[in-house]
């Protein structure tokens, strides 16, 4: 339908049109500007309609679009996994629908998949049937299902775990938000808290204390408030947590006020991530999240759908990981170190960031009118960076154990990711200029699950090749050479015949 | 992706095929646009806020020198690095210049193959081919292919991707 896209384009751009009209009002030509914007929006929408075409072939779906930037998207029909049919108000008024063809490229933000907008409802419904029924999108393989068995309990919450609450720092955000909100109220409403009796008295008492006492007191108060908030958050989220497994499905039940039940098909599971944030590491705690396709891992994953175990004793986290993986070797096994170059490069990073800044500030202090404390502050940062660099190196480790690639890294949050080899769908080998000189490489296993990429930093070239070949035999083999690398080819070579 | 010729540890050879030599001019043009914008801004600043013109000229001279250096070195370096290869089991690409990256994906895990021609690419008759896997971290991009090569490549990859059943995750 030709009318849909231009109208949508106008609706989408209403804020801009308003801005145009308002901006133009200053010069007395507001409506004229608005009209110009309207025409542009209309023609963009119309052009999009004229330049988009699709073709459903026997083996592939092809969409062509764009005028200046011609794009052709080709999807083999075998890869079609989901077909979503959506109809907004505008669609429904016009008897139209849009179809989004999903290929299981997870829920990538930048990728809207193959979207066909403005189909008639009948066409859209027919297309959905056609694509889903002839693509063999049925689930493949499957874990040996024992439907008769009762759910097996893998882990259950213990009240002692609340002790790990303060170390999750999850309350920090909440406390900051509340404090910010409080300040805003005080500012906006011109409230003067010192006019309130008790506050006034407290301020007087504080005023009589010396500065160091005040600072220490404030830090202590903040620590206590954040700990309490974190503990409260922990109880709210993870009360009565239970992890069970039944006929190939993992199920997490948890929550105090709202009980959440999250099911995860084990066919989608590609591994387990065992992570220890620094504070939790100090008190020998850890947590687990799932590495599964279609479950994006990012900020807040430890509370979201991929959470398998809330902050709990490290031993529990290890045994739960082993139970889910079906083997303890990847969880307990020793990892290979990354070697002296990786060690040196961790320190180089700290030095490269801090030393130049410090030297400039030092010169400024001696020769110019820069105060003395900034360079000292950078010196303190440098001092803190050294143990961090050492810890970051000690965290680095990798191994291939029982068909799992195990990758460990990180200091502030140390993660041990155990990814099944079948889950690896490619390798990226990245070398900066300096890494090329030092003969090391960052090897990244790409996957459709979890973080999408699992990186091993600063491996020696031979070790990178060995790990990749051990995890996925044969993929790299045709490209491996021993001895001197053949000289780069200077003459252009024609493509495949 | 160099290696010290004295060592004999196993390492990967670069992919076999270079991209179209026209790509050198494409990269030059693309980078030139950025530099021109920067220089125009500096000129506007110079005209709009006349003052200590010595500084202005110095800044302009430095920018121009950097631009010339970048425009001479970067595209040629890139041309030596950018390579690709398709074997019966895998796609293998190499890209970058100062920092370089090699990507390898098994053909059995390819999901979609896109070909794209931006405005500048159309000017030079070049195509960018992207082979996507199910991972957000793994698209294999080959920039600067001539049209015939790109078309052949897309057809070949699509045909192979079609042969493997399942959803390739």
């Amino acid at each position: 339908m030709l009318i849909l896209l231009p109208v949508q384009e106008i609706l989408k751009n209403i804020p801009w049109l308003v801005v145009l009209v308002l901006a133009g009002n200053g010069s007395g030509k507001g409506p004229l500007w608005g009209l110009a914007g309207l025409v542009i929006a209309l023609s963009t929408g119309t052009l999009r309609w004229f330049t988009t075409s699709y073709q459903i072939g026997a083996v592939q779906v092809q969409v062509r679009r764009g005028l200046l930037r011609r794009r052709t998207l080709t999807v083999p029909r075998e890869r079609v996994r989901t077909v979503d049919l959506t109809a907004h108000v505008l669609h429904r008024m016009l008897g139209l629908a849009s179809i989004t063809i999903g290929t299981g490229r997870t829920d990538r933000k930048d990728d809207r998949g193959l979207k066909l907008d403005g189909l008639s409802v009948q066409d859209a419904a027919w297309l959905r049937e056609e694509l889903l029924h002839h693509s063999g999108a049925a689930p493949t393989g499957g874990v040996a299902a024992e439907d008769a068995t009762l759910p097996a309990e893998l882990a259950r919450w213990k009240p002692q775990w609340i002790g790990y609450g303060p170390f999750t720092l999850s309350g920090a955000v909440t406390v900051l938000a509340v404090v910010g909100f409080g300040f805003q109220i005080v500012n906006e409403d011109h409230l003067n808290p010192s006019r309130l009796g008790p506050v006034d008295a407290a301020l007087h008492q504080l005023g009589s204390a010396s500065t160091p006492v005040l600072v220490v007191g404030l830090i202590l108060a903040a620590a206590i408030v954040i700990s309490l908030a974190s503990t409260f958050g922990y109880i709210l989220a993870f009360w009565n947590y239970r992890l069970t497994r039944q006929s190939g499905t993992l199920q997490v039940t948890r929550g105090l006020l709202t009980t959440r039940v999250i099911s995860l098909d084990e066919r989608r599971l590609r591994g387990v991530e065992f992570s220890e944030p620094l504070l939790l590491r100090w008190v020998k705690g850890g947590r687990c999240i799932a590495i599964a396709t279609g479950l994006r891992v990012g900020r807040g994953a430890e509370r979201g759908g991929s959470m398998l175990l809330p902050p709990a004793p490290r031993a529990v986290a290890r045994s739960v990981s082993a139970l889910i993986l079906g083997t303890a070797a990847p969880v307990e096994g020793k990892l290979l170190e990354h070697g002296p170059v990786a060690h040196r490069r961790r320190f180089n990073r700290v030095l490269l960031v801090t030393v130049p800044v410090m030297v400039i500030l030092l010169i400024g202090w001696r020769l110019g009118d820069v105060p003395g404390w900034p360079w000292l502050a950078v010196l303190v940062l440098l001092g803190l960076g050294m143990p961090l660099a050492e810890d970051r190196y000690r965290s680095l480790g990798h191994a291939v154990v029982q068909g799992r690639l195990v990758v460990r890294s990180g200091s502030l949050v140390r993660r041990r990711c155990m990814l099944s080899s079948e889950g690896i769908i490619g390798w990226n080998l990245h070398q900066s200029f300096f890494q090329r000189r030092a003969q090391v490489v960052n090897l990244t296993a790409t996957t459709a699950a979890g973080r999408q990429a699992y990186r091993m930093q600063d491996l020696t070239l031979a070790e990178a090749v060995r790990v990749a070949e051990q995890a996925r035999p044969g993929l790299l083999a045709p490209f491996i050479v021993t001895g001197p690398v053949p000289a780069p080819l200077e003459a252009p070579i024609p493509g495949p015949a | 992706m160099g290696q010290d010729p004295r060592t004999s540890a196993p390492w990967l050879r670069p992919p076999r095929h270079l991209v179209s030599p026209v790509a050198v001019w494409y990269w030059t043009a693309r980078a030139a646009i950025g530099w021109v914008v920067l220089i125009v801004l500096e000129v506007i600043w110079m005209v709009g806020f006349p003052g200590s013109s010595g500084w202005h000229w110095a800044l302009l001279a430095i920018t121009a020198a950097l631009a010339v250096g970048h425009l001479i070195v970067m595209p040629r370096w890139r041309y030596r690095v950018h390579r690709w290869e398709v074997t019966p089991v895998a796609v293998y690409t190499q890209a970058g210049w100062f920092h370089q990256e090699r990507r390898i994906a098994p053909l059995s895990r390819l999901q979609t193959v896109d070909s794209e021609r931006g405005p500048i690419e159309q000017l030079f008759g070049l195509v960018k081919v992207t082979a996507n896997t199910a991972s957000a971290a793994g698209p294999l991009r080959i920039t600067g292919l001539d049209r015939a090569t790109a078309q052949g490549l897309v057809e070949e990859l699509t045909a192979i991707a079609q042969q493997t059943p399942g959803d390739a995750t």
Side-chain angles (χ1 to χ4, degrees), chain A residues 154-155 161 241 243 245 250 266 269-276 285-291 306-310 312-333 402 404 406 415-419:
Chain A
L154 302 183
W161 294 4
Y241 154 88
L243 173 66
R245 170 188 265 157
L250 291 172
E266 281 195 276
L269 195 71
R270 297 288 180 274
V272 176
E273 177 184 315
F274 163 60
S275 64
E276 305 160 278
R287 59 189 189 202
C288 298
I289 61 173
I291 300 175
S306 54
M307 189 219 76
L308 291 174
L309 181 76
R314 194 186 289 162
V316 175
R318 286 215 174 114
S319 72
V320 166
S321 305
L323 279 170
I324 294 166
L325 290 172
T327 159
V331 190
E332 307 291 345
Q402 296 202 338
R404 267 94 175 176
V406 186
R415 300 194 162 91
R416 185 184 180 116
C417 304
M418 295 155 274
L419 176 68

Side-chain angles (χ1 to χ4, degrees), chain A residues 59-60 68-69 76 79 81 103 105 425 427 429-432 436 439 447 452 479 481 485 489, chain B residues 1 4 11 13 83 98-102 104 109-112 116 122 135-136 158 162 164 167:
Chain A
V59 289
Q60 65 194 40
L68 284 177
R69 184 175 281 269
R79 295 284 185 275
R81 216 200 210 183
T103 55
R105 275 203 231 174
I425 55 178
W427 296 107
L429 297 107
H430 183 94
Q431 279 187 309
S432 70
R436 286 203 298 282
Q439 305 258 322
T447 172
Q452 312 280 307
F479 312 116
V481 283
V485 174
L489 303 160
Chain B
M1 289 273 168
D4 191 337
W11 181 227
R13 63 168 174 76
R83 285 151 170 272
F98 198 68
H99 299 313
Q100 297 176 8
E101 184 156 280
R102 288 174 169 171
I104 299 156
R109 300 304 181 97
L110 285 194
Q111 284 203 320
T112 62
E116 189 177 343
Q122 291 195 23
S135 171
T158 315
Q162 182 60 37
T164 18
D167 61 9

Side-chain angles (χ1 to χ4, degrees), chain A residues 84-407:
Chain A
D84 291 350
L85 203 149
T86 341
H88 302 298
V89 181
L90 190 63
H91 282 120
R92 284 206 293 270
M93 273 162 54
L94 297 166
L96 300 176
S98 78
I99 250 186
T100 312
I101 301 169
T103 55
R105 275 203 231 174
T106 67
D107 46 346
R108 225 179 298 176
K109 261 189 220 148
D110 57 324
D111 186 13
R112 287 168 302 162
L114 246 66
K115 192 172 174 189
L116 298 173
D117 208 347
L119 299 168
S120 75
V121 174
Q122 294 94 320
D123 278 356
W126 171 81
L127 206 55
R128 176 171 64 176
E129 288 300 301
E130 178 73 17
L131 286 174
L132 281 184
H133 284 190
H134 300 276
S135 67
T140 49
V143 183
E146 302 146 66
D147 286 285
T149 54
L150 288 167
E153 188 172 274
L154 302 183
R156 176 188 276 279
W157 193 73
K158 290 197 182 67
Q160 299 93 289
W161 294 4
I162 294 176
Y164 291 100
F167 300 96
T168 58
L169 286 190
S170 57
V173 182
T174 323
V175 170
L176 285 178
V178 168
V179 169
F181 189 62
F183 265 112
Q184 208 171 1
I185 287 179
V186 169
N187 274 338
E188 303 255 310
D189 300 346
H190 306 288
L191 276 176
N192 193 348
S194 58
R195 263 185 293 178
L196 298 166
V199 179
D200 190 34
L203 278 177
H204 261 291
Q205 281 220 313
L206 283 177
S208 59
S210 61
T211 318
V213 173
L214 206 64
V215 168
V216 170
L218 273 177
I219 290 175
L220 268 179
I224 290 170
V225 171
I226 289 174
S227 300
L228 282 177
S230 302
T231 311
F232 188 62
Y234 185 95
I235 294 170
L236 267 186
F238 305 126
W239 183 267
N240 241 343
Y241 154 88
R242 233 163 77 89
L243 173 66
T244 55
R245 170 188 265 157
Q246 188 178 24
S247 49
T249 305
L250 291 172
Q251 197 169 65
V252 175
T253 316
R254 64 188 176 84
L256 180 66
L257 299 178
T258 31
T259 309
R260 288 189 68 182
V261 182
I262 302 144
S263 300
L264 175 63
D265 188 345
E266 281 195 276
R267 279 185 311 226
R268 284 165 57 203
L269 195 71
R270 297 288 180 274
V272 176
E273 177 184 315
F274 163 60
S275 64
E276 305 160 278
L278 192 59
L279 280 180
L280 215 51
R281 184 143 53 109
W282 274 341
V283 292
K284 294 190 167 58
R287 59 189 189 202
C288 298
I289 61 173
I291 300 175
T293 60
L295 274 183
R296 196 182 191 79
V297 174
R299 208 169 272 279
E302 59 279 356
R303 326 192 126 244
S306 54
M307 189 219 76
L308 291 174
L309 181 76
R314 194 186 289 162
V316 175
R318 286 215 174 114
S319 72
V320 166
S321 305
L323 279 170
I324 294 166
L325 290 172
T327 159
V331 190
E332 307 291 345
K334 259 194 91 60
L335 302 180
L336 294 168
E337 289 183 16
H338 286 209
V341 178
H343 196 195
R344 194 185 71 223
R345 282 177 53 85
R346 299 283 81 67
F347 284 93
N348 283 356
R349 290 217 175 154
V350 177
L351 294 173
L352 274 175
V353 173
T354 51
V355 170
V357 177
M358 197 171 75
V359 167
I360 291 170
L361 288 173
L362 197 59
I363 292 172
W365 174 58
R366 297 296 295 180
L367 304 176
D369 47 356
V370 178
W373 62 266
W375 82 266
L376 281 172
V378 178
L379 188 67
V380 171
L381 275 182
L382 179 62
L384 290 174
M386 287 294 136
L388 186 72
E390 179 63 28
D391 190 47
R392 279 176 64 79
Y393 173 69
R394 288 198 186 165
S395 289
L396 287 182
H398 66 275
V400 180
V401 190
Q402 296 202 338
R404 267 94 175 176
L405 175 69
V406 186
V407 179

Side-chain angles (χ1 to χ4, degrees), chain A residues 58-60 62 67-79 81 103-106 108 114 136 140 270 293 296 421-434 436 439 441 444 446-449 451-453 460-465 472 474-476 478-496, chain B residues 1-5 7-21 77 79-80 83-87 89-92 97-119 121-122 128 132-139 149 152-154 156 158-169:
Chain A
V59 289
Q60 65 194 40
Q62 213 172 45
L67 179 72
L68 284 177
R69 184 175 281 269
R70 289 294 301 173
R71 288 193 78 183
T72 310
L73 297 141
T74 314
V75 177
R77 286 181 58 173
E78 280 279 353
R79 295 284 185 275
R81 216 200 210 183
T103 55
R105 275 203 231 174
T106 67
R108 225 179 298 176
L114 246 66
T140 49
R270 297 288 180 274
T293 60
R296 196 182 191 79
S421 297
E422 301 96 74
I424 300 172
I425 55 178
W427 296 107
N428 296 350
L429 297 107
H430 183 94
Q431 279 187 309
S432 70
F433 180 74
F434 302 102
R436 286 203 298 282
Q439 305 258 322
V441 61
T444 305
T446 65
T447 172
R451 295 180 192 281
Q452 312 280 307
T460 61
L461 304 182
E463 180 60 12
V465 170
R472 266 200 80 103
L475 185 54
L476 250 50
F479 312 116
I480 296 175
V481 283
T482 1
V485 174
L489 303 160
E490 292 302 330
I493 305 168
Chain B
M1 289 273 168
Q3 187 193 29
D4 191 337
T7 58
S8 60
W11 181 227
L12 304 176
R13 63 168 174 76
R16 281 202 201 288
H17 307 296
L18 291 163
V19 297
S20 164
W77 193 342
Y79 178 64
R80 291 170 64 103
R83 285 151 170 272
W84 60 278
E85 182 173 347
V86 179
T87 73
V89 291
V91 199
Y92 180 22
W97 57 294
F98 198 68
H99 299 313
Q100 297 176 8
E101 184 156 280
R102 288 174 169 171
R103 294 186 167 191
I104 299 156
L107 293 179
S108 59
R109 300 304 181 97
L110 285 194
Q111 284 203 320
T112 62
V113 182
D114 303 350
S115 69
E116 189 177 343
R117 281 180 286 148
E121 279 161 315
Q122 291 195 23
K128 176 165 91 181
N132 289 296
T133 63
S135 171
T149 315
L153 181 63
V154 170
E156 186 188 352
T158 315
I160 296 168
Q162 182 60 37
Q163 284 165 11
T164 18
D167 61 9
T169 57

